[in-house]
Amino acid sequence: MNMPLTTERLIIRDWTADDAEAALAVYGSGDVAHWLTPAMDRVGDAAAMRSVLQAWTEAQPNLAAPRGRWAVQRRKDGAVIGGLGIRLLPPYEEDLEISWQLNPQVWGEGYATEAARALIAWAFTQHTDELFAVTRPNNHRAIATTERLGLQWVGETDKYYGLHLQVYRIRAGDPGAKGEDVTSGL
C-alpha cells in the first residue's frame, strides 16, 4: 500500500504500539464505543489497547487492499486523533465497509470527513467498485459525515452485526469518490 496518505491537515498511516495512549482516547471513550459496529465495549486501559493495536498491525500485511486499519495523525502537531478502517461486512463478507472513529475532543472539526475522503479516493485505486458505511439510526454525526462524503442512503437492515443499521454506499464513479486535496506519500 502507498501509505501514508496525506491531506492538507492529516496523515493516514499504519498503527504502531506507540499509539496506544492516543488510541485509548478514541477506543476507550464511551462516547465512541457506544456507536461502534460491531457493538463492543470500550477498551479499558493502555495495555488492552496495545494488544488490540498489536493484533491490527499483525493482521495488516495479510489483508488484501483496500482492507485494513489505520491511524489518523494531525500534521501540525503529530497527535494521533483517530482511526480509519476498511473491512468486509458480515455475514457474507462481500461488501466492504469504511469506518472512522475520532477522539471526541476533535469532533466537529472536519477531520473525519477529510480522512475518510482520502481513504475512499485511495480505495478506488485498488480495484474496488463500491464501499459501504453502516450507522446506527440515531448516530447523527456519522450520518452527517456519510452525507458530506457523498455516500448515498441505501436503506435499513438487520443483516450486519445483528444490529438495526442504516446503510450508505459510494461507487467509484459517484461524486466524491475521487476525493480532493489528496496526495500519496510524504
Side-chain angles (χ1 to χ4, degrees):
M1 171 192 280
N2 289 334
M3 283 292 176
L5 294 177
T6 60
T7 69
E8 181 180 336
R9 301 181 297 165
L10 303 171
I11 299 169
I12 300 161
R13 61 163 176 81
D14 290 335
W15 285 104
T16 70
D18 293 338
D19 296 324
E21 289 294 333
L24 183 62
V26 178
Y27 300 99
S29 167
D31 291 335
V32 174
H34 174 74
W35 299 112
L36 292 178
T37 55
M40 64 177 266
D41 294 329
R42 65 182 190 80
V43 177
D45 58 36
M49 190 73 245
R50 251 186 300 290
S51 293
V52 169
L53 291 178
Q54 182 177 353
W56 290 351
T57 58
E58 288 175 3
Q60 189 87 353
N62 300 315
L63 298 174
R67 295 183 304 154
R69 293 183 181 268
W70 302 276
V72 177
Q73 182 177 2
R74 201 167 38 206
R75 290 177 71 174
K76 72 177 181 181
D77 60 7
V80 172
I81 59 168
L84 293 170
I86 296 179
R87 64 179 171 212
L88 291 169
L89 279 164
Y92 306 115
E93 297 189 342
E94 295 172 355
D95 299 330
L96 287 173
E97 173 192 16
I98 184 167
S99 63
W100 51 87
Q101 305 80 37
L102 292 180
N103 183 324
Q105 292 182 352
V106 299
W107 285 0
E109 296 183 35
Y111 292 129
T113 302
E114 186 175 334
R117 184 173 284 135
L119 191 61
I120 288 168
W122 171 79
F124 287 133
T125 70
Q126 303 301 306
H127 310 291
T128 299
D129 296 326
E130 63 186 2
L131 293 169
F132 292 87
V134 296
T135 68
R136 294 173 191 246
N138 293 329
N139 190 344
H140 302 292
R141 287 182 177 279
I143 292 167
T145 300
T146 63
E147 292 169 356
R148 282 190 296 277
L149 290 167
L151 279 84
Q152 301 296 312
W153 188 73
V154 175
E156 295 187 0
T157 187
D158 297 326
K159 174 180 170 181
Y160 306 123
Y161 307 116
L163 299 168
H164 184 76
L165 300 169
Q166 292 188 358
V167 180
Y168 296 82
R169 175 182 59 212
I170 190 165
R171 292 185 169 146
D174 290 349
K178 293 184 180 174
E180 57 190 61
D181 301 325
V182 178
T183 58
S184 180
L186 291 175

